[in-house]
Amino acid sequence: SFGLIPEIIGRFPLVVSTTALDKGQLCQVLTEPKNALVRQYNYLFAMAGCDFHVTDGGLRAVAGKAYEKNTGARGLRSILEKLLLNAMFAVPSGTTEPNSSKSPIKIHAVVVDELAGAGVRPPLLLTGDVTYQSLVELAGSEDAESLDALLARVAADDNGVVSSLDLVDTHQDEQLAM
């Protein structure tokens, strides 16, 4: 019955300092909440009949970009949006090139690995007989390092399309560069 009314309390100046989220916490924001961004994109691609996978290395790379730009959790959406923009158009249309006369292809999985999360290449668009499960089996386990190491060697075209499990031997490329 006695005390301050809310209108007056709202006028008191209040200063609060917060600390920035670290990379681990940004990864948690991507995966753990009920409306996490990874779950939202998983649902979005599922509406087009496509699976969506993000490796641990991909999560760390996206979180690292948000951490470097000092954008926090709000910046994660714009980073993922920019990263997946072409894939969001390619999956329903079946083509990776606008105004293309090529016959449409069935993209059945989108994979964001460490290289895609860092912006080095586009996300992998798996077509044909290539599935995420076949990549995991080829890596030998779902261990984050071995899967990201395998995905770094997967041969994809400029748009990220993977139609066969051709692996690039990075050791030969390094030797040729020397």
Side-chain angles (χ1 to χ4, degrees):
S1 66
F2 296 103
L4 298 173
I5 59 176
E7 290 84 8
I8 295 177
I9 292 177
R11 295 185 184 269
F12 286 138
L14 186 64
V15 177
V16 177
S17 65
T18 59
T19 58
L21 298 175
D22 63 10
K23 292 177 187 177
Q25 292 169 327
L26 289 170
C27 286
Q28 288 178 325
V29 169
L30 283 169
T31 58
E32 290 183 11
K34 186 174 92 175
N35 60 344
L37 289 173
V38 171
R39 290 183 188 159
Q40 291 178 25
Y41 280 106
N42 202 352
Y43 181 77
L44 178 72
F45 284 110
M47 289 191 325
C50 181
D51 293 331
F52 177 67
H53 303 280
V54 183
T55 65
D56 290 341
L59 287 173
R60 286 191 304 270
V62 170
K65 284 177 92 172
Y67 186 79
E68 289 169 10
K69 292 181 179 182
N70 203 19
T71 58
R74 291 183 183 263
L76 291 171
R77 177 174 290 286
S78 65
I79 291 169
L80 278 176
E81 188 80 23
K82 184 178 179 184
L83 179 69
L84 295 170
L85 183 66
N86 291 336
M88 287 189 285
F89 283 103
V91 167
S93 67
T95 181
T96 57
E97 300 170 10
N99 303 325
S100 176
S101 60
K102 295 179 183 177
S103 61
I105 55 176
K106 171 68 175 142
I107 299 170
H108 52 78
V110 176
V111 180
V112 176
D113 65 336
E114 191 170 6
L115 292 176
V120 175
R121 70 164 182 218
L124 297 175
L125 307 175
L126 305 182
T127 63
D129 295 334
V130 181
T131 63
Y132 184 74
Q133 189 60 35
S134 65
L135 291 173
V136 170
E137 289 171 4
L138 190 60
S141 69
E142 282 197 62
D143 179 28
E145 287 80 24
S146 62
L147 185 58
D148 276 318
L150 173 76
L151 290 174
R153 295 179 51 216
V154 170
D157 67 6
D158 293 339
N159 296 315
V161 176
V162 178
S163 56
S164 65
L165 278 178
D166 296 329
L167 298 180
V168 177
D169 189 6
T170 55
H171 298 296
Q172 284 182 349
D173 294 341
E174 290 172 3
Q175 290 174 354
L176 291 174
M178 290 181 181

